Each structure stands twice: as C-alpha cells, then as structure tokens.
Amino acid sequence: MPTVDLVIRGGRVVSPDAIIEASVAIDGGKIVAVGHDDLMPAGREEFRADGKYLLPGAIDSHVHFRDPGYPHKETWATGSAAAACGGVTTVFDMPNTKPATGTVEALQMKLRAAEASYVDFGIHALLGDDTVERLEDLLDNGATSFKAFVGNTFGNLPAPTDGALLEAFEILAPLGIRTVVHAENSSIMARRQQRMSAAGRIDAQAHLAARPEVCEIEAVSRIIHFSEWTGARVHIAHKSSADALWLVREAKARGVDITVETCPQYLLLNTSDVLRLGGVLRLNPPIRDARHNQPLWDALMDGTVDMIATDHAPHAIEEKVRENIWECDCGFPGVETQMALMLSEVNKGRASLRDYVGWSAVAPAKAWGLYGTKGVIATGAHADIAIVDMDRRGVLSHGKLQTISKLSPWNGRSVQGYPLHTLVRGRFVMRDGQLVADARGWGKSVKGIQKMPRPQPRNVDAAMKNILKAPAGAPQNALPQVDAVTPADAR
C-alpha cells in the first residue's frame, strides 16, 4: 500500500450513528481510509490521537467577519483564526459588510479579502429590493447562498419588501438555492424602539422590549408561506424563542424545505445575564427570558431546530459598553467558543457527542449542499477534522481569543471539553491549542464543491417572470371582445 500524507492513529471517530475506535489515513487533503489501525498505510507524518475523539470539523453557517469595511472589528485573517482555534473548519459569511455584498463588485472584494482565511468558506450574498435582478449574476460569480434581513440589524440594511422577497424566492426556487432569513418584523421593532427611545428608555432590557416574540412569530410565518408557495429553500437564522417552533414543526411535516439554527447564547443565557452584562449582550434577536431555553434544547433534540451556528459578530469594546443601549452595537464573538460550550453540555448529559456532530457538522453540510465532501469522516471526504479532549477542563477568557474583539459574555465560564487540533483538508490549522500561523490563506471557497439537491419549484406559472407578458392568444388590451356596437345601437 502506498505511503500517504498523514495517518491519525488511535482515535475515536464520531458520527451521528456511532463512535468507533479507528485510525484515519489522509492523502491529498482527502480521507482515504478509516478503520483498524493495523490496516492503515504508512504515513509521511503520523499523529497519535490516543483515545481522543475525532469529530467532523464544525460548519458555522452564520459568521460576520466584517471584512471588507470594518477592519477594527474583525478581518478574514482574525475571524478565520478564531474559527480554526474553535474546531470550525468551514464558515459562511454574512453580507452586511461595507459595501454590502449585493453587487458582483462587492462580492469580488469579499472574495479577495477571504484569500487570507485559515478555513474554508461560503459567501451569503444580499437579498434585497435592489439585488433581485442580480441574484443569478451573484451566484455565477461565487456566492453560495443569500441572506435576507427581514429584521433590521447591524449596518441598517433595509428589509426587503414582501414583493421583492417573493420574487426572489421565485427566482431561487428553480435553482435550488437556500436563503438565510433574519426573521423578525422590522416595522414593529422600529416603531417600538423609536417610541421607547423618545420616552427615555435607554436601559439594556429596553432592547428586548422593542423586539417581542410576536416579531419572530409573524416573520417566521410569512417566510414559511412564501417558501411553501414557491418551493424555495429557506433557513431561519438564530432562532431565539420557543413561540414559533410549532410553525416550523408544522411546515416540516407538510414538506416545506426549511432549516433552522440556534446559537449557544439562546440555549444557555437569559435575561438575568442581560442584567449582569448590559450592552455586552445586545444582539439581534435579543437574549430572552429563561422560559425559552429548554424548548430550544428540546427542538434540537427532536429535529425541529437542525443545527448550531454562532452569529459571530465582533465589535470594538468601546462600541459595546455605552450607557445608552440604542448606541451599543449588536453582537459579540462566538465562533471560537461554540465547541467548548457545547461539549461541556454534552459532558453534563444534556445531549450526546453523536447529537452534537449532527448539529454542528452533518446538518449544515446537508443544508448547504456539502454533505459527503464535508460534514463526515469517511473515505473520499475532505479531511476536515476537530480532535477533541472531552476530559480537559478550563475557563474561557476573552483575552485569549483570536478575534480582534476581546469582549465575550462567556468570559470566566468553566468548560469541560476542548478542541485541541483542527485540520482543514488534511492540514493542521490549529495544533496543540495553538494557531498554525503559516496556514493563513489555506482556506478555499466551497462554491466549487456545492451540490444542492434537485430543486422543487412550485406555482411557477404565477412567478413574476411568467406574468410580465400576456399569454399567447390573449388580447393585448382590456377592451371587451364583443361585436362592435354603435352609440345608436346602445340606445
């Protein structure tokens, strides 16, 4: 048997179905064998895992690397370094950069910035009223998917009108492309924030009061209807509340192609933490009261919520610690801490390691058309692997984060379970807990390997492109088709 690039020996390989003791052989960036150590080829490099767990690298489909436009908050180099040190091997970046990723020129700027990435990546382009005509051009030039900010967030991008959103779904449904949706009702939130600000409410809890659960309920319902009508694939970002979960369950039961993410902050934090941390915890949607935590866990366990993402959204410290909550930027870093937080919950018995792999790798790989190449440790797949120590204990510290933003709500939190090593396509990007500096630029776009399932568009005859011209044989005006009459006949 020929020698291969790397053999990881003595590990425990995790999938949603099983944990097996196995070694993994890697060559040319791909896994070429998984099995008993005696059956492995020799490796030019050999690595001892010695009972550590080998997880498919996490796929975080919701990050804001802020590049281009906000280099004081984050860059592709620093954001992807944080991902590598968090066991994350693929990220999908959001379009609310500067300029917003809504033109081919802006997309090309982002792709050039992403050349510094340590990890592989996809790009969500912007879906808005003024980008509907460019959706296919954006796909042709490297976008993997789209994001619609139905609820307002950092960058103050206007929410698409319902007409534009429906037309965009009509365009994307036959292409099989999935759209991420920030599902909150912008009109309700804008009015409440304006009224509360005018009344002098500047406290941290005012942000939650401006974005009640009904904003999610209404927006999720609307998105489901548009998705079901057109057959477009949709993804609900950062699900924060229990209240609209029944809508998702019913939609999935009807066959609507909808996926849903939640984040560690919505599973583990609540309004008591907002009282403690103030503007540090301002994000969209907001941290809610404790009654929402367990239903979100339950929804992960029963498949209503498909996956874990982070909404990694760094800012400078001075942008987060202001007296007036409306002046505190929304979001905080999370891509580097997600795995340690979730592994700690596994150690507490809240879920299994197999469950976690399903949420962090398998489900996002399937949602974005990557499964089989990514999201799994199997022959032929990319060697994207996080090697974790489930026994290692520590305390999270924002000062140790790779991200530029050294302000984390998880600072001081005790954890058990850490990624020690991260490989992207067979190359170590984090080793022994340390970033591998010369791996900068190793990351590649996943556009070339993306294979979405066969599309299933619906109500195509009613789509905008098919109603702009009268059908063949139809009159070209609204005059009645009757025998000509004269005014005298009409008397």
Side-chain angles (χ1 to χ4, degrees):
M1 187 178 297
T3 302
V4 298
D5 291 335
L6 172 66
V7 179
I8 302 173
R9 298 191 181 274
R12 298 175 181 175
V13 175
V14 185
S15 75
D17 302 314
I19 299 175
I20 62 171
E21 294 188 6
S23 295
V24 178
I26 299 166
D27 198 60
K30 294 184 177 181
I31 297 169
V32 295
V34 179
H36 194 280
D37 193 58
D38 291 344
L39 301 177
M40 291 297 107
R44 282 179 283 277
E45 180 181 359
E46 306 237 338
F47 183 88
R48 298 298 313 181
D50 291 332
K52 302 297 188 296
Y53 292 89
L54 276 58
L55 279 55
I59 299 172
D60 191 341
S61 59
H62 193 151
V63 304
H64 298 265
F65 281 175
R66 307 299 192 199
D67 192 0
Y70 305 98
H72 70 287
K73 297 176 185 284
E74 195 74 289
T75 68
W76 270 92
T78 58
S80 65
C85 290
V88 176
T89 54
T90 303
V91 297
F92 284 75
D93 190 61
M94 291 294 170
N96 53 334
T97 42
K98 188 177 181 181
T101 317
T103 66
V104 171
E105 293 75 19
L107 173 61
Q108 290 172 339
M109 288 177 63
K110 179 164 287 189
L111 287 170
R112 286 194 295 272
E115 291 174 1
S117 183
Y118 287 84
V119 302
D120 287 352
F121 56 87
I123 304 294
H124 298 309
L126 181 66
L127 192 164
D129 278 43
D130 60 352
T131 72
V132 173
E133 301 295 330
R134 297 193 292 271
L135 299 181
E136 293 185 70
D137 284 344
L138 287 161
L139 289 171
D140 289 343
N141 283 274
T144 53
S145 37
F146 291 91
K147 172 69 176 287
F149 290 95
V150 173
N152 70 295
T153 190
F154 176 79
N156 294 318
L157 298 174
T161 60
D162 286 350
L165 193 60
L166 181 61
E167 185 177 351
F169 282 8
E170 291 170 347
I171 293 168
L172 296 176
L175 302 176
I177 299 300
R178 193 175 300 278
T179 298
V180 182
V181 182
H182 179 140
E184 292 182 281
N185 183 297
S186 283
S187 176
I188 294 173
M189 297 185 301
R191 181 175 178 85
R192 290 170 75 93
Q193 179 174 331
Q194 189 277 327
R195 295 270 289 158
M196 294 169 69
S197 181
R201 284 286 308 269
I202 63 170
D203 57 286
Q205 289 181 300
H207 179 63
L208 171 60
R211 306 174 88 106
E213 291 87 340
V214 69
C215 295
E216 271 197 24
I217 296 169
E218 186 280 330
V220 169
S221 176
R222 183 164 27 120
I223 295 306
I224 288 172
H225 289 318
F226 288 179
S227 172
E228 190 165 18
W229 174 260
T230 61
R233 295 183 168 115
V234 295
H235 176 78
I236 302 299
H238 40 44
K239 189 74 183 75
S240 71
S241 74
D243 298 271
L245 290 171
W246 66 273
L247 290 166
V248 176
R249 288 190 180 100
E250 290 187 352
K252 288 190 173 189
R254 296 196 305 272
V256 179
D257 196 336
I258 179 173
T259 55
V260 183
E261 73 186 40
T262 193
C263 309
Q265 53 265 33
Y266 301 120
L267 296 168
L268 301 174
L269 301 178
N270 55 59
T271 47
S272 65
D273 300 290
V274 176
L275 289 172
R276 178 172 56 89
L277 293 171
V280 172
L281 275 188
R282 189 187 186 205
L283 77 161
N284 304 318
I287 300 295
R288 302 192 184 277
D289 60 73
R291 77 174 179 88
H292 296 277
N293 296 138
Q294 189 57 47
L296 288 170
W297 277 106
D298 295 341
L300 271 172
M301 295 302 297
D302 69 22
T304 304
V305 174
D306 301 88
M307 68 191 74
I308 291 290
T310 65
D311 194 6
H312 174 86
H315 299 283
I317 291 175
E318 60 271 18
E319 296 168 333
K320 291 291 294 177
V321 290
R322 293 166 172 159
E323 183 179 6
N324 187 333
I325 191 60
W326 311 118
E327 296 174 359
C328 296
D329 281 353
C330 295
F332 50 75
V335 71
E336 191 170 350
T337 52
Q338 174 268 121
M339 187 172 287
L341 290 166
M342 295 302 293
L343 294 181
S344 296
E345 297 305 305
V346 168
N347 271 319
K348 294 174 184 176
R350 204 158 200 174
S352 72
L353 201 51
R354 292 180 291 108
D355 292 326
Y356 172 70
V357 164
W359 304 331
S360 65
V362 175
K366 289 181 176 179
W368 307 110
L370 306 178
Y371 187 70
T373 303
K374 293 185 180 293
V376 61
I377 298 176
T379 301
H382 284 177
D384 295 350
I385 301 172
I387 303 175
V388 307
D389 183 345
M390 291 298 292
D391 296 323
R392 184 178 175 186
R393 298 175 181 270
V395 177
L396 298 178
S397 168
H398 49 213
K400 296 179 181 178
L401 297 177
Q402 296 290 327
T403 177
I404 290 174
S405 177
K406 309 298 186 187
L407 188 64
S408 168
W410 309 111
N411 184 58
R413 190 180 185 95
S414 296
V415 292
Q416 180 184 354
Y418 270 98
L420 301 180
H421 319 279
T422 306
L423 295 91
V424 175
R425 286 177 286 107
R427 180 173 181 175
F428 284 97
V429 294
M430 189 259 284
R431 191 162 186 165
D432 297 318
Q434 300 297 315
L435 181 70
V436 179
D438 64 3
R440 174 173 169 160
W442 178 247
K444 292 183 178 180
S445 170
V446 299
K447 176 72 175 180
I449 62 170
Q450 186 181 34
K451 294 180 181 179
M452 298 297 291
R454 183 174 63 86
Q456 296 182 310
R458 302 180 65 184
N459 295 304
V460 175
D461 290 345
M464 180 67 76
K465 71 174 185 178
N466 293 323
I467 64 172
L468 294 178
K469 293 182 180 179
Q476 299 300 305
N477 54 49
L479 293 174
Q481 301 299 299
V482 297
D483 294 336
V485 297
T486 67
D489 294 329
R491 288 196 294 269

